[in-house]
């Protein structure tokens, strides 16, 4: 049985935190009870219809009572009202809180260097490689590479032997995804699937869950004029329990004039690309071999043995997440 504690390292301070996992006992019951003993019920509970129903019940009811209840909810989630773009009184349901917009141009600084790859979300990240010669070889733990990109796609060969990063968004996080690189969209497509939880206990229990969930795959060519120059980058946005929709809404300036992402479109780095409907969800970036080097602190944090991580216990290797902000540095171009 997976341990009750799950800890991570906060990047900004280096502090180790214990995560307060929402509905943790229910997730354990679902993935260690219903999945094994009641497979039909398990498939129902991870279906699109049930995910939408759970999201409605949990997120669409207005805050009951006074403004103090709303403030208490946002305080418990650790939401900084000072960074919110919309007035606090307009955030009158949990859904509106989770779909909030922020002044990212003020509160989420981005490195200026051309070859910097940045985080697509406020999230907790793990990095890995498909190369067995790499010190971060984590093949097959979180997803099946071929299945994740879709078995009928033509992109497998370009990313074979490359590196990847998995970003886990918890329900309290800012739920806009931003572009991690600059470049031209070579392809964008959606793959159908289930709505599995991204709670660490569920990820460990469910073999390669991220490649079984519904997801949107965007292939970005960065080797173009104005691009980040780190080769092709696959950005995969993965739904999870109570995430019913991924809205593509790219904006070149703040959140103004959002448009769907399409093939041939140039994407500026660090701009809003899409929005998850509330809940928990996951972003995955895949890079071509030899094109990037991950930031040293992410690698050092991941291998810490003094932090109690469910991923470390479940996969029998040190795997500790780093909590970071959207648009912060995760890698640089130029790996050998």
């Amino acid at each position: 049985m997976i341990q009750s504690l799950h800890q991570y390292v906060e990047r900004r301070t280096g502090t180790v935190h214990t995560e307060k996992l929402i509905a943790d006992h229910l997730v354990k019951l679902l993935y260690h009870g219903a999945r094994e003993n009641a497979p039909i019920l398990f498939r129902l509970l991870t279906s699109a219809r049930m995910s939408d129903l759970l999201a409605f019940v949990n997120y669409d009811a207005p805050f009951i009572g006074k403004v103090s209840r709303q403030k208490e909810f946002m305080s418990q989630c650790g939401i900084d009202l000072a960074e919110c773009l919309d007035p606090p009184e307009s955030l009158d349901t949990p859904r509106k809180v989770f779909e909030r917009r922020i002044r990212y141009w003020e509160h989420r600084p981005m490195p200026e260097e051309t070859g910097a790859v940045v985080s697509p979300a406020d999230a907790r990240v793990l990095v890995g490689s498909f190369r067995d010669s790499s010190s971060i070889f984590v093949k097959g733990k979180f997803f099946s590479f071929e299945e994740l990109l879709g078995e009928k796609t033509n992109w497998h060969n370009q990313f074979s032997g490359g590196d990847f990063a998995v970003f886990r968004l918890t329900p309290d996080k800012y739920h806009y995804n931003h572009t991690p690189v600059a470049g031209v969209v070579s392809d964008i497509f959606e793959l159908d699937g289930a709505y599995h939880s991204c709670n660490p206990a569920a990820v460990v229990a469910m073999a390669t869950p991220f490649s079984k969930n519904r997801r949107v795959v965007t292939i970005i060519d960065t080797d173009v004029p104005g691009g980040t120059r780190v080769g092709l980058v696959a950005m995969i946005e993965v739904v999870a329990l109570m995430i019913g929709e991924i809205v593509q809404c790219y904006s070149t300036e703040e959140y103004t004039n959002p448009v769907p992402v399409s093939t041939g479109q140039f994407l500026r780095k660090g701009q809003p690309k899409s929005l998850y409907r509330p809940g928990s969800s996951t972003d995955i970036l895949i890079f071509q071999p030899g094109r990037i080097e991950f930031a040293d602190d992410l690698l050092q944090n991941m291998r810490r043995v003094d932090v109690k991580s469910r991923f470390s216990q479940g996969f029998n290797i040190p795997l500790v997440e780093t909590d970071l902000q959207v648009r912060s540095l995760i890698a640089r171009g130029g790996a050998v």
Side-chain angles (χ1 to χ4, degrees):
M1 179 65 68
I2 297 299
Q3 63 193 3
S4 58
L5 280 183
H6 180 71
Q7 297 179 319
Y8 60 89
V9 180
E10 182 185 355
R11 186 183 211 178
R12 184 172 55 86
T13 64
T15 306
V16 176
H17 293 275
T18 298
E19 184 172 337
K20 296 179 180 178
L21 293 157
I22 297 176
D24 193 41
H25 65 292
L26 294 177
V27 170
K28 288 181 179 178
L29 179 63
L30 176 62
Y31 283 85
H32 292 278
R35 175 172 168 260
E36 298 172 1
N37 302 313
I40 295 177
L41 176 63
F42 177 75
R43 287 195 295 272
L44 172 64
L45 292 174
T46 55
S47 67
R49 180 171 295 182
M50 183 58 67
S51 187
D52 286 344
L53 176 61
L54 289 173
F56 176 80
V57 170
N58 282 278
Y59 299 123
D60 287 316
F63 290 108
I64 299 174
K66 302 178 180 179
V67 175
S68 59
R69 176 69 188 96
Q70 178 197 29
K71 291 183 177 179
E72 179 186 0
F73 176 82
M74 288 192 279
S75 176
Q76 289 175 346
C77 290
I79 294 170
D80 182 1
L81 289 175
E83 68 181 28
C84 292
L85 182 61
D86 301 305
E89 59 271 18
S90 70
L91 306 177
D92 56 3
T93 68
R95 178 181 292 276
K96 291 179 183 178
V97 171
F98 292 136
E99 295 180 7
R100 65 191 181 277
R101 301 180 299 171
I102 65 172
R103 294 182 178 87
Y104 63 84
W105 51 93
E106 298 174 2
H107 297 276
R108 299 294 188 273
M110 186 172 67
E112 295 181 359
E113 57 193 284
T114 300
V117 180
V118 300
S119 174
D122 281 357
R124 291 172 191 147
V125 65
L126 289 170
V127 301
S129 174
F130 299 114
R131 291 174 287 114
D132 57 10
S133 59
S134 171
S135 61
I136 52 172
F137 179 62
V138 196
K139 183 178 180 180
K141 301 296 183 183
F142 297 98
F143 55 84
S144 161
F145 165 65
E146 290 80 6
E147 189 178 12
L148 182 73
L149 290 177
E151 295 181 354
K152 295 182 180 180
T153 188
N154 296 319
W155 295 107
H156 292 157
N157 290 339
Q158 285 86 344
F159 294 101
S160 179
D163 301 312
F164 65 87
V166 177
F167 302 84
R168 184 172 62 92
L169 287 76
T170 53
D172 55 297
K173 295 292 189 185
Y174 164 66
H175 270 67
Y176 274 87
N177 295 306
H178 288 238
T179 47
V181 291
V184 172
V185 177
S186 294
D187 200 359
I188 181 168
F189 53 94
E190 185 173 314
L191 296 167
D192 199 10
Y195 291 74
H196 293 293
S197 170
C198 66
N199 178 299
V203 174
V204 171
M206 185 76 189
T208 61
F210 299 141
S211 52
K212 301 182 187 304
N213 280 13
R214 181 170 166 257
R215 55 208 181 276
V216 173
V217 179
T218 307
I219 309 295
I220 305 171
D221 182 2
T222 71
D223 289 335
V224 297
T228 306
R229 301 286 178 177
V230 291
L232 295 172
V233 177
M235 180 176 179
I236 301 102
E237 295 152 320
V238 186
V239 305
L241 196 63
M242 291 188 284
I243 292 285
E245 189 177 3
I246 307 169
V247 181
Q248 298 295 321
C249 50
Y250 173 76
S251 294
T252 58
E253 186 71 26
E254 299 179 3
Y255 297 94
T256 60
N257 301 318
V259 296
V261 176
S262 59
T263 302
Q265 182 179 8
F266 184 87
L267 303 178
R268 291 173 51 195
K269 182 165 56 181
Q271 296 305 115
K273 175 186 180 290
S274 61
L275 170 66
Y276 283 125
R277 293 310 186 190
S280 56
S281 44
T282 302
D283 291 336
I284 299 171
L285 299 180
I286 302 180
F287 305 93
Q288 292 185 287
R291 295 306 302 263
I292 58 101
E293 292 178 337
F294 287 117
D296 288 341
D297 65 325
L298 303 184
L299 299 174
Q300 293 167 3
N301 289 341
M302 193 172 70
R303 293 307 189 208
R304 287 180 61 166
V305 296
D306 61 322
V307 181
K308 297 183 183 298
S309 166
R310 289 183 176 181
F311 295 126
S312 298
Q313 183 189 7
F315 297 135
N316 296 315
I317 55 174
L319 284 175
V320 176
E321 295 170 301
T322 298
D323 188 275
L324 43 61
Q325 292 186 326
V326 66
R327 294 171 29 113
S328 60
L329 178 74
I330 64 160
R332 291 183 172 92
V336 178

